[in-house]
mmCIF file of all heavy atoms in Angstrom:
data_model
loop_
_atom_site.group_PDB
_atom_site.id
_atom_site.type_symbol
_atom_site.label_atom_id
_atom_site.label_comp_id
_atom_site.label_asym_id
_atom_site.label_seq_id
_atom_site.Cartn_x
_atom_site.Cartn_y
_atom_site.Cartn_z
ATOM 1 N N GLY A 503 -6.103 -8.423 3.518
ATOM 2 C CA GLY A 503 -5.088 -7.585 4.247
ATOM 3 C C GLY A 503 -3.799 -8.378 4.570
ATOM 4 O O GLY A 503 -2.711 -7.808 4.508
ATOM 5 N N GLU A 506 -1.708 -8.581 1.375
ATOM 6 C CA GLU A 506 -1.209 -7.239 0.941
ATOM 7 C C GLU A 506 0.111 -6.866 1.714
ATOM 8 O O GLU A 506 1.031 -6.452 1.086
ATOM 9 C CB GLU A 506 -2.292 -6.134 1.213
ATOM 10 C CG GLU A 506 -1.729 -4.726 0.815
ATOM 11 C CD GLU A 506 -2.803 -3.642 1.134
ATOM 12 O OE1 GLU A 506 -3.809 -3.921 1.810
ATOM 13 O OE2 GLU A 506 -2.610 -2.582 0.542
ATOM 14 N N PHE A 507 0.088 -7.074 3.010
ATOM 15 C CA PHE A 507 1.110 -6.520 3.833
ATOM 16 C C PHE A 507 2.232 -7.591 4.172
ATOM 17 O O PHE A 507 3.341 -7.281 4.476
ATOM 18 C CB PHE A 507 0.601 -5.973 5.081
ATOM 19 C CG PHE A 507 -0.306 -4.778 4.911
ATOM 20 C CD1 PHE A 507 -1.618 -4.884 5.184
ATOM 21 C CD2 PHE A 507 0.194 -3.627 4.376
ATOM 22 C CE1 PHE A 507 -2.500 -3.825 5.010
ATOM 23 C CE2 PHE A 507 -0.627 -2.546 4.228
ATOM 24 C CZ PHE A 507 -1.967 -2.608 4.475
ATOM 25 N N HIS A 592 -8.853 -7.043 -4.766
ATOM 26 C CA HIS A 592 -8.834 -6.198 -3.553
ATOM 27 C C HIS A 592 -9.756 -5.131 -3.562
ATOM 28 O O HIS A 592 -10.672 -5.015 -2.712
ATOM 29 C CB HIS A 592 -7.399 -5.805 -3.356
ATOM 30 C CG HIS A 592 -7.193 -5.005 -2.054
ATOM 31 N ND1 HIS A 592 -6.107 -5.333 -1.141
ATOM 32 C CD2 HIS A 592 -7.764 -3.904 -1.528
ATOM 33 C CE1 HIS A 592 -6.178 -4.545 -0.185
ATOM 34 N NE2 HIS A 592 -7.155 -3.653 -0.370
ATOM 35 N N PHE A 596 -13.512 -4.775 -1.495
ATOM 36 C CA PHE A 596 -13.813 -3.814 -0.393
ATOM 37 C C PHE A 596 -14.835 -2.849 -0.793
ATOM 38 O O PHE A 596 -15.718 -2.331 -0.030
ATOM 39 C CB PHE A 596 -12.525 -3.066 0.043
ATOM 40 C CG PHE A 596 -11.702 -3.868 0.976
ATOM 41 C CD1 PHE A 596 -10.476 -4.423 0.585
ATOM 42 C CD2 PHE A 596 -12.070 -4.084 2.303
ATOM 43 C CE1 PHE A 596 -9.682 -5.244 1.498
ATOM 44 C CE2 PHE A 596 -11.319 -4.795 3.205
ATOM 45 C CZ PHE A 596 -10.173 -5.319 2.811
ATOM 46 N N ALA A 617 -16.873 -0.295 9.198
ATOM 47 C CA ALA A 617 -15.703 -0.487 10.123
ATOM 48 C C ALA A 617 -15.579 -2.031 10.519
ATOM 49 O O ALA A 617 -14.457 -2.459 10.607
ATOM 50 C CB ALA A 617 -15.848 0.401 11.301
ATOM 51 N N MET A 619 -16.367 -4.569 8.746
ATOM 52 C CA MET A 619 -15.767 -5.291 7.673
ATOM 53 C C MET A 619 -14.307 -4.983 7.575
ATOM 54 O O MET A 619 -13.462 -5.911 7.422
ATOM 55 C CB MET A 619 -16.424 -4.933 6.324
ATOM 56 C CG MET A 619 -15.925 -5.696 5.222
ATOM 57 S SD MET A 619 -16.456 -5.135 3.570
ATOM 58 C CE MET A 619 -15.555 -3.551 3.462
ATOM 59 N N PHE A 620 -13.931 -3.696 7.674
ATOM 60 C CA PHE A 620 -12.513 -3.274 7.657
ATOM 61 C C PHE A 620 -11.688 -3.751 8.813
ATOM 62 O O PHE A 620 -10.484 -3.778 8.834
ATOM 63 C CB PHE A 620 -12.413 -1.770 7.514
ATOM 64 C CG PHE A 620 -12.531 -1.296 6.022
ATOM 65 C CD1 PHE A 620 -13.764 -1.004 5.491
ATOM 66 C CD2 PHE A 620 -11.261 -1.198 5.296
ATOM 67 C CE1 PHE A 620 -13.787 -0.583 4.174
ATOM 68 C CE2 PHE A 620 -11.429 -0.767 3.976
ATOM 69 C CZ PHE A 620 -12.658 -0.460 3.455
ATOM 70 N N THR A 621 -12.407 -4.220 9.903
ATOM 71 C CA THR A 621 -11.678 -4.850 11.067
ATOM 72 C C THR A 621 -10.903 -5.985 10.653
ATOM 73 O O THR A 621 -9.767 -6.282 11.123
ATOM 74 C CB THR A 621 -12.723 -5.119 12.151
ATOM 75 O OG1 THR A 621 -13.339 -3.910 12.581
ATOM 76 C CG2 THR A 621 -12.023 -5.796 13.318
ATOM 77 N N GLY A 622 -11.435 -6.711 9.647
ATOM 78 C CA GLY A 622 -10.686 -7.886 9.159
ATOM 79 C C GLY A 622 -9.303 -7.469 8.591
ATOM 80 O O GLY A 622 -8.301 -8.186 8.742
ATOM 81 N N LEU A 623 -9.304 -6.330 7.921
ATOM 82 C CA LEU A 623 -8.009 -5.805 7.375
ATOM 83 C C LEU A 623 -7.104 -5.410 8.493
ATOM 84 O O LEU A 623 -5.865 -5.634 8.399
ATOM 85 C CB LEU A 623 -8.338 -4.640 6.454
ATOM 86 C CG LEU A 623 -7.152 -3.904 5.820
ATOM 87 C CD1 LEU A 623 -6.379 -4.776 4.926
ATOM 88 C CD2 LEU A 623 -7.601 -2.630 5.100
ATOM 89 N N THR A 624 -7.630 -4.764 9.522
ATOM 90 C CA THR A 624 -6.749 -4.284 10.595
ATOM 91 C C THR A 624 -6.270 -5.413 11.416
ATOM 92 O O THR A 624 -5.059 -5.448 11.824
ATOM 93 C CB THR A 624 -7.493 -3.269 11.483
ATOM 94 O OG1 THR A 624 -8.729 -3.859 11.931
ATOM 95 C CG2 THR A 624 -7.902 -2.051 10.646
ATOM 96 N N VAL A 625 -7.089 -6.401 11.657
ATOM 97 C CA VAL A 625 -6.643 -7.582 12.455
ATOM 98 C C VAL A 625 -5.631 -8.343 11.700
ATOM 99 O O VAL A 625 -4.738 -8.960 12.338
ATOM 100 C CB VAL A 625 -7.920 -8.485 12.782
ATOM 101 C CG1 VAL A 625 -7.467 -9.783 13.455
ATOM 102 C CG2 VAL A 625 -8.794 -7.722 13.769
ATOM 103 N N ASN A 627 -3.188 -7.214 10.326
ATOM 104 C CA ASN A 627 -1.848 -6.591 10.599
ATOM 105 C C ASN A 627 -1.460 -6.915 12.044
ATOM 106 O O ASN A 627 -0.222 -6.713 12.396
ATOM 107 C CB ASN A 627 -1.929 -5.064 10.488
ATOM 108 C CG ASN A 627 -1.883 -4.699 9.014
ATOM 109 O OD1 ASN A 627 -0.802 -4.432 8.435
ATOM 110 N ND2 ASN A 627 -3.034 -4.568 8.462
ATOM 111 N N GLY A 707 -4.789 12.072 2.618
ATOM 112 C CA GLY A 707 -4.880 11.911 4.054
ATOM 113 C C GLY A 707 -4.374 10.547 4.501
ATOM 114 O O GLY A 707 -3.410 10.437 5.357
ATOM 115 N N PHE A 708 -4.911 9.468 3.931
ATOM 116 C CA PHE A 708 -4.443 8.172 4.370
ATOM 117 C C PHE A 708 -3.074 7.800 3.775
ATOM 118 O O PHE A 708 -2.276 7.053 4.429
ATOM 119 C CB PHE A 708 -5.387 7.077 3.969
ATOM 120 C CG PHE A 708 -5.110 5.727 4.420
ATOM 121 C CD1 PHE A 708 -5.441 5.410 5.828
ATOM 122 C CD2 PHE A 708 -4.477 4.775 3.689
ATOM 123 C CE1 PHE A 708 -5.089 4.109 6.290
ATOM 124 C CE2 PHE A 708 -4.144 3.534 4.225
ATOM 125 C CZ PHE A 708 -4.449 3.214 5.517
ATOM 126 N N VAL A 711 0.071 7.868 6.004
ATOM 127 C CA VAL A 711 0.441 6.726 6.815
ATOM 128 C C VAL A 711 1.561 5.930 6.280
ATOM 129 O O VAL A 711 2.575 5.551 6.875
ATOM 130 C CB VAL A 711 -0.761 5.799 7.161
ATOM 131 C CG1 VAL A 711 -0.381 4.551 7.914
ATOM 132 C CG2 VAL A 711 -1.880 6.595 7.862
ATOM 133 N N PHE A 712 1.459 5.581 4.973
ATOM 134 C CA PHE A 712 2.404 4.727 4.334
ATOM 135 C C PHE A 712 3.779 5.357 3.953
ATOM 136 O O PHE A 712 4.718 4.729 3.635
ATOM 137 C CB PHE A 712 1.789 4.019 3.092
ATOM 138 C CG PHE A 712 1.036 2.784 3.498
ATOM 139 C CD1 PHE A 712 -0.195 2.851 4.122
ATOM 140 C CD2 PHE A 712 1.679 1.511 3.347
ATOM 141 C CE1 PHE A 712 -0.874 1.704 4.472
ATOM 142 C CE2 PHE A 712 0.942 0.403 3.681
ATOM 143 C CZ PHE A 712 -0.287 0.510 4.362
ATOM 144 N N VAL A 715 5.276 4.153 7.304
ATOM 145 C CA VAL A 715 5.275 2.731 7.564
ATOM 146 C C VAL A 715 6.058 1.939 6.591
ATOM 147 O O VAL A 715 6.646 0.924 6.939
ATOM 148 C CB VAL A 715 3.862 2.224 7.674
ATOM 149 C CG1 VAL A 715 3.786 0.691 7.838
ATOM 150 C CG2 VAL A 715 3.149 2.869 8.837
ATOM 151 N N PHE A 740 1.690 -1.548 15.498
ATOM 152 C CA PHE A 740 0.941 -0.711 14.407
ATOM 153 C C PHE A 740 -0.393 -1.276 14.115
ATOM 154 O O PHE A 740 -1.376 -0.515 13.987
ATOM 155 C CB PHE A 740 1.857 -0.659 13.170
ATOM 156 C CG PHE A 740 1.215 -0.032 12.004
ATOM 157 C CD1 PHE A 740 0.997 1.333 11.920
ATOM 158 C CD2 PHE A 740 0.859 -0.786 10.925
ATOM 159 C CE1 PHE A 740 0.451 1.990 10.817
ATOM 160 C CE2 PHE A 740 0.223 -0.173 9.756
ATOM 161 C CZ PHE A 740 0.015 1.205 9.784
ATOM 162 N N GLY A 741 -0.488 -2.625 13.964
ATOM 163 C CA GLY A 741 -1.789 -3.199 13.672
ATOM 164 C C GLY A 741 -2.833 -3.028 14.834
ATOM 165 O O GLY A 741 -3.963 -2.824 14.499
ATOM 166 N N LEU A 742 -2.382 -3.068 16.071
ATOM 167 C CA LEU A 742 -3.283 -2.833 17.173
ATOM 168 C C LEU A 742 -3.835 -1.416 17.063
ATOM 169 O O LEU A 742 -5.101 -1.168 17.321
ATOM 170 C CB LEU A 742 -2.583 -3.002 18.486
ATOM 171 C CG LEU A 742 -2.302 -4.437 18.950
ATOM 172 C CD1 LEU A 742 -1.398 -4.499 20.211
ATOM 173 C CD2 LEU A 742 -3.596 -5.214 19.203
ATOM 174 N N GLY A 743 -2.951 -0.468 16.749
ATOM 175 C CA GLY A 743 -3.443 0.901 16.572
ATOM 176 C C GLY A 743 -4.524 0.972 15.473
ATOM 177 O O GLY A 743 -5.455 1.708 15.574
ATOM 178 N N MET A 744 -4.239 0.297 14.360
ATOM 179 C CA MET A 744 -5.221 0.213 13.301
ATOM 180 C C MET A 744 -6.578 -0.265 13.716
ATOM 181 O O MET A 744 -7.584 0.324 13.337
ATOM 182 C CB MET A 744 -4.680 -0.675 12.091
ATOM 183 C CG MET A 744 -3.482 -0.075 11.422
ATOM 184 S SD MET A 744 -2.576 -1.305 10.373
ATOM 185 C CE MET A 744 -3.860 -1.628 9.207
ATOM 186 N N VAL A 745 -6.538 -1.424 14.557
ATOM 187 C CA VAL A 745 -7.810 -1.939 15.029
ATOM 188 C C VAL A 745 -8.606 -0.931 15.808
ATOM 189 O O VAL A 745 -9.835 -0.677 15.607
ATOM 190 C CB VAL A 745 -7.628 -3.183 15.764
ATOM 191 C CG1 VAL A 745 -8.892 -3.687 16.436
ATOM 192 C CG2 VAL A 745 -7.040 -4.310 14.942
ATOM 193 N N GLY A 746 -7.947 -0.297 16.787
ATOM 194 C CA GLY A 746 -8.522 0.659 17.669
ATOM 195 C C GLY A 746 -9.021 1.896 16.856
ATOM 196 O O GLY A 746 -10.155 2.338 17.121
ATOM 197 N N GLY A 747 -8.254 2.472 15.985
ATOM 198 C CA GLY A 747 -8.680 3.627 15.203
ATOM 199 C C GLY A 747 -9.803 3.273 14.305
ATOM 200 O O GLY A 747 -10.673 4.141 14.128
ATOM 201 N N ASN A 748 -9.795 2.141 13.680
ATOM 202 C CA ASN A 748 -10.871 1.823 12.785
ATOM 203 C C ASN A 748 -12.190 1.696 13.501
ATOM 204 O O ASN A 748 -13.223 2.175 13.026
ATOM 205 C CB ASN A 748 -10.542 0.419 12.103
ATOM 206 C CG ASN A 748 -11.614 -0.054 11.123
ATOM 207 O OD1 ASN A 748 -11.939 0.575 10.195
ATOM 208 N ND2 ASN A 748 -12.197 -1.212 11.478
ATOM 209 N N LEU A 749 -12.274 1.068 14.702
ATOM 210 C CA LEU A 749 -13.499 0.921 15.503
ATOM 211 C C LEU A 749 -13.953 2.270 15.952
ATOM 212 O O LEU A 749 -15.210 2.618 15.899
ATOM 213 C CB LEU A 749 -13.300 -0.025 16.630
ATOM 214 C CG LEU A 749 -12.970 -1.498 16.245
ATOM 215 C CD1 LEU A 749 -12.700 -2.365 17.431
ATOM 216 C CD2 LEU A 749 -14.176 -2.050 15.495
ATOM 217 N N LEU A 750 -13.010 3.119 16.422
ATOM 218 C CA LEU A 750 -13.423 4.420 16.844
ATOM 219 C C LEU A 750 -13.918 5.314 15.755
ATOM 220 O O LEU A 750 -14.959 6.015 15.852
ATOM 221 C CB LEU A 750 -12.221 5.127 17.543
ATOM 222 C CG LEU A 750 -12.451 6.587 18.033
ATOM 223 C CD1 LEU A 750 -13.193 6.424 19.466
ATOM 224 C CD2 LEU A 750 -11.145 7.313 18.276
ATOM 225 N N GLY A 751 -13.254 5.282 14.574
ATOM 226 C CA GLY A 751 -13.685 6.079 13.421
ATOM 227 C C GLY A 751 -15.073 5.581 12.940
ATOM 228 O O GLY A 751 -15.901 6.438 12.621
ATOM 229 N N GLY A 752 -15.293 4.333 12.921
ATOM 230 C CA GLY A 752 -16.628 3.770 12.531
ATOM 231 C C GLY A 752 -17.721 4.201 13.595
ATOM 232 O O GLY A 752 -18.845 4.519 13.129
ATOM 233 N N MET A 762 -15.279 14.106 12.781
ATOM 234 C CA MET A 762 -14.324 12.986 12.992
ATOM 235 C C MET A 762 -13.138 13.032 12.115
ATOM 236 O O MET A 762 -11.960 12.686 12.463
ATOM 237 C CB MET A 762 -15.125 11.646 12.798
ATOM 238 C CG MET A 762 -14.403 10.420 13.001
ATOM 239 S SD MET A 762 -13.866 10.260 14.756
ATOM 240 C CE MET A 762 -12.223 9.654 14.588
ATOM 241 N N LEU A 763 -13.389 13.388 10.884
ATOM 242 C CA LEU A 763 -12.342 13.515 9.899
ATOM 243 C C LEU A 763 -11.276 14.678 10.291
ATOM 244 O O LEU A 763 -10.119 14.507 10.209
ATOM 245 C CB LEU A 763 -12.835 13.809 8.484
ATOM 246 C CG LEU A 763 -13.116 12.622 7.531
ATOM 247 C CD1 LEU A 763 -13.642 13.051 6.237
ATOM 248 C CD2 LEU A 763 -11.980 11.692 7.447
ATOM 249 N N ALA A 766 -9.206 13.315 13.288
ATOM 250 C CA ALA A 766 -8.258 12.205 12.933
ATOM 251 C C ALA A 766 -7.144 12.698 12.015
ATOM 252 O O ALA A 766 -6.000 12.430 12.285
ATOM 253 C CB ALA A 766 -9.075 11.092 12.237
ATOM 254 N N LEU A 767 -7.451 13.572 11.035
ATOM 255 C CA LEU A 767 -6.449 14.021 10.096
ATOM 256 C C LEU A 767 -5.498 15.029 10.818
ATOM 257 O O LEU A 767 -4.253 15.041 10.616
ATOM 258 C CB LEU A 767 -7.064 14.654 8.864
ATOM 259 C CG LEU A 767 -7.725 13.750 7.925
ATOM 260 C CD1 LEU A 767 -8.484 14.508 6.810
ATOM 261 C CD2 LEU A 767 -6.632 12.796 7.276
ATOM 262 N N LEU A 770 -3.263 12.937 12.986
ATOM 263 C CA LEU A 770 -2.321 12.239 12.208
ATOM 264 C C LEU A 770 -1.143 13.094 11.709
ATOM 265 O O LEU A 770 0.019 12.731 11.793
ATOM 266 C CB LEU A 770 -3.012 11.539 11.037
ATOM 267 C CG LEU A 770 -2.140 10.733 10.049
ATOM 268 C CD1 LEU A 770 -1.492 9.615 10.708
ATOM 269 C CD2 LEU A 770 -2.991 10.224 8.834
ATOM 270 N N PHE A 792 2.212 3.162 17.117
ATOM 271 C CA PHE A 792 0.737 2.848 17.491
ATOM 272 C C PHE A 792 -0.165 3.983 17.120
ATOM 273 O O PHE A 792 -1.222 3.714 16.559
ATOM 274 C CB PHE A 792 0.736 2.598 19.003
ATOM 275 C CG PHE A 792 -0.697 2.348 19.495
ATOM 276 C CD1 PHE A 792 -1.305 1.124 19.406
ATOM 277 C CD2 PHE A 792 -1.391 3.447 20.070
ATOM 278 C CE1 PHE A 792 -2.563 0.943 19.930
ATOM 279 C CE2 PHE A 792 -2.711 3.235 20.500
ATOM 280 C CZ PHE A 792 -3.294 2.007 20.357
ATOM 281 N N LEU A 793 0.284 5.284 17.368
ATOM 282 C CA LEU A 793 -0.620 6.335 17.092
ATOM 283 C C LEU A 793 -0.824 6.588 15.603
ATOM 284 O O LEU A 793 -1.892 7.037 15.126
ATOM 285 C CB LEU A 793 -0.081 7.614 17.780
ATOM 286 C CG LEU A 793 -0.184 7.647 19.281
ATOM 287 C CD1 LEU A 793 0.479 8.933 19.807
ATOM 288 C CD2 LEU A 793 -1.552 7.484 19.795
ATOM 289 N N VAL A 794 0.217 6.399 14.830
ATOM 290 C CA VAL A 794 0.122 6.502 13.309
ATOM 291 C C VAL A 794 -0.936 5.484 12.832
ATOM 292 O O VAL A 794 -1.763 5.895 12.040
ATOM 293 C CB VAL A 794 1.511 6.236 12.683
ATOM 294 C CG1 VAL A 794 1.208 6.082 11.127
ATOM 295 C CG2 VAL A 794 2.411 7.416 12.933
ATOM 296 N N GLY A 795 -0.836 4.267 13.336
ATOM 297 C CA GLY A 795 -1.882 3.257 12.965
ATOM 298 C C GLY A 795 -3.279 3.697 13.518
ATOM 299 O O GLY A 795 -4.302 3.511 12.713
ATOM 300 N N PHE A 796 -3.338 4.190 14.677
ATOM 301 C CA PHE A 796 -4.606 4.497 15.276
ATOM 302 C C PHE A 796 -5.307 5.731 14.468
ATOM 303 O O PHE A 796 -6.435 5.575 14.039
ATOM 304 C CB PHE A 796 -4.459 4.922 16.731
ATOM 305 C CG PHE A 796 -5.676 5.184 17.472
ATOM 306 C CD1 PHE A 796 -6.358 4.191 18.220
ATOM 307 C CD2 PHE A 796 -6.168 6.514 17.554
ATOM 308 C CE1 PHE A 796 -7.558 4.439 18.813
ATOM 309 C CE2 PHE A 796 -7.420 6.722 18.234
ATOM 310 C CZ PHE A 796 -8.049 5.717 18.848
ATOM 311 N N PHE A 797 -4.592 6.808 14.345
ATOM 312 C CA PHE A 797 -5.222 7.980 13.744
ATOM 313 C C PHE A 797 -5.383 7.697 12.213
ATOM 314 O O PHE A 797 -6.357 8.258 11.638
ATOM 315 C CB PHE A 797 -4.394 9.259 14.088
ATOM 316 C CG PHE A 797 -4.507 9.616 15.458
ATOM 317 C CD1 PHE A 797 -3.311 9.798 16.236
ATOM 318 C CD2 PHE A 797 -5.707 9.933 16.111
ATOM 319 C CE1 PHE A 797 -3.369 10.119 17.570
ATOM 320 C CE2 PHE A 797 -5.707 10.308 17.409
ATOM 321 C CZ PHE A 797 -4.562 10.414 18.153
ATOM 322 N N GLY A 798 -4.437 6.991 11.651
ATOM 323 C CA GLY A 798 -4.574 6.694 10.186
ATOM 324 C C GLY A 798 -5.842 5.936 9.908
ATOM 325 O O GLY A 798 -6.562 6.276 8.994
ATOM 326 N N PHE A 799 -6.095 4.848 10.675
ATOM 327 C CA PHE A 799 -7.261 4.061 10.353
ATOM 328 C C PHE A 799 -8.528 4.621 10.913
ATOM 329 O O PHE A 799 -9.669 4.181 10.551
ATOM 330 C CB PHE A 799 -7.049 2.586 10.717
ATOM 331 C CG PHE A 799 -6.579 1.731 9.625
ATOM 332 C CD1 PHE A 799 -5.279 1.882 9.110
ATOM 333 C CD2 PHE A 799 -7.448 0.912 8.970
ATOM 334 C CE1 PHE A 799 -4.926 1.049 8.057
ATOM 335 C CE2 PHE A 799 -7.079 0.089 7.959
ATOM 336 C CZ PHE A 799 -5.789 0.198 7.483
ATOM 337 N N ALA A 800 -8.438 5.634 11.783
ATOM 338 C CA ALA A 800 -9.685 6.336 12.210
ATOM 339 C C ALA A 800 -10.295 7.137 11.123
ATOM 340 O O ALA A 800 -11.422 7.501 11.115
ATOM 341 C CB ALA A 800 -9.321 7.232 13.407
ATOM 342 N N THR A 801 -9.503 7.289 10.037
ATOM 343 C CA THR A 801 -9.991 8.071 8.858
ATOM 344 C C THR A 801 -10.750 7.120 7.889
ATOM 345 O O THR A 801 -11.509 7.655 7.031
ATOM 346 C CB THR A 801 -8.849 8.788 8.088
ATOM 347 O OG1 THR A 801 -8.036 7.879 7.452
ATOM 348 C CG2 THR A 801 -8.094 9.698 9.031
ATOM 349 N N VAL A 802 -10.481 5.836 7.963
ATOM 350 C CA VAL A 802 -11.019 4.977 6.954
ATOM 351 C C VAL A 802 -12.466 4.883 6.821
ATOM 352 O O VAL A 802 -13.111 5.071 5.734
ATOM 353 C CB VAL A 802 -10.355 3.528 7.086
ATOM 354 C CG1 VAL A 802 -11.009 2.569 6.110
ATOM 355 C CG2 VAL A 802 -8.850 3.593 6.847
ATOM 356 N N PRO A 803 -13.204 4.572 7.994
ATOM 357 C CA PRO A 803 -14.694 4.463 7.831
ATOM 358 C C PRO A 803 -15.294 5.781 7.493
ATOM 359 O O PRO A 803 -16.209 5.789 6.579
ATOM 360 C CB PRO A 803 -15.125 4.066 9.323
ATOM 361 C CG PRO A 803 -13.900 3.353 9.909
ATOM 362 C CD PRO A 803 -12.752 4.059 9.264
ATOM 363 N N PRO A 804 -14.965 6.969 8.026
ATOM 364 C CA PRO A 804 -15.566 8.175 7.568
ATOM 365 C C PRO A 804 -15.231 8.514 6.081
ATOM 366 O O PRO A 804 -16.072 9.075 5.422
ATOM 367 C CB PRO A 804 -15.047 9.230 8.547
ATOM 368 C CG PRO A 804 -13.834 8.693 9.148
ATOM 369 C CD PRO A 804 -14.011 7.189 9.198
ATOM 370 N N LEU A 805 -14.051 8.155 5.657
ATOM 371 C CA LEU A 805 -13.713 8.468 4.247
ATOM 372 C C LEU A 805 -14.538 7.558 3.280
ATOM 373 O O LEU A 805 -15.111 8.062 2.284
ATOM 374 C CB LEU A 805 -12.180 8.271 3.980
ATOM 375 C CG LEU A 805 -11.263 9.350 4.512
ATOM 376 C CD1 LEU A 805 -9.834 8.883 4.326
ATOM 377 C CD2 LEU A 805 -11.427 10.652 3.778
ATOM 378 N N GLN A 806 -14.712 6.331 3.653
ATOM 379 C CA GLN A 806 -15.484 5.426 2.747
ATOM 380 C C GLN A 806 -16.966 5.806 2.842
ATOM 381 O O GLN A 806 -17.658 5.793 1.848
ATOM 382 C CB GLN A 806 -15.306 3.977 3.317
ATOM 383 C CG GLN A 806 -15.753 2.954 2.255
ATOM 384 C CD GLN A 806 -14.830 2.905 1.034
ATOM 385 O OE1 GLN A 806 -13.829 3.494 0.985
ATOM 386 N NE2 GLN A 806 -15.294 2.139 0.043
ATOM 387 N N PHE A 828 -7.058 4.505 -1.776
ATOM 388 C CA PHE A 828 -6.263 4.262 -0.567
ATOM 389 C C PHE A 828 -4.889 3.636 -1.014
ATOM 390 O O PHE A 828 -3.883 4.106 -0.548
ATOM 391 C CB PHE A 828 -6.933 3.194 0.365
ATOM 392 C CG PHE A 828 -8.039 3.793 1.164
ATOM 393 C CD1 PHE A 828 -9.296 3.530 0.905
ATOM 394 C CD2 PHE A 828 -7.615 4.564 2.283
ATOM 395 C CE1 PHE A 828 -10.288 4.051 1.789
ATOM 396 C CE2 PHE A 828 -8.676 5.086 3.172
ATOM 397 C CZ PHE A 828 -9.998 4.806 2.872
ATOM 398 N N ASN A 832 -1.038 4.957 -0.917
ATOM 399 C CA ASN A 832 0.050 4.211 -0.388
ATOM 400 C C ASN A 832 1.283 4.232 -1.371
ATOM 401 O O ASN A 832 2.435 4.429 -0.952
ATOM 402 C CB ASN A 832 -0.339 2.753 -0.208
ATOM 403 C CG ASN A 832 -1.488 2.628 0.774
ATOM 404 O OD1 ASN A 832 -1.736 3.599 1.547
ATOM 405 N ND2 ASN A 832 -2.060 1.454 0.908
#
Side-chain angles (χ1 to χ4, degrees):
E506 178 182 14
F507 297 112
H592 183 127
F596 278 107
M619 183 191 70
F620 274 89
T621 297
L623 176 65
T624 58
V625 171
N627 284 271
F708 187 79
V711 174
F712 274 77
V715 173
F740 172 73
L742 286 173
M744 292 167 63
V745 173
N748 179 62
L749 294 176
L750 183 76
M762 182 66 221
L763 270 181
L767 288 172
L770 179 61
F792 174 84
L793 292 178
V794 168
F796 185 90
F797 292 123
F799 262 75
T801 68
V802 173
L805 284 171
Q806 196 69 10
F828 280 107
N832 297 350

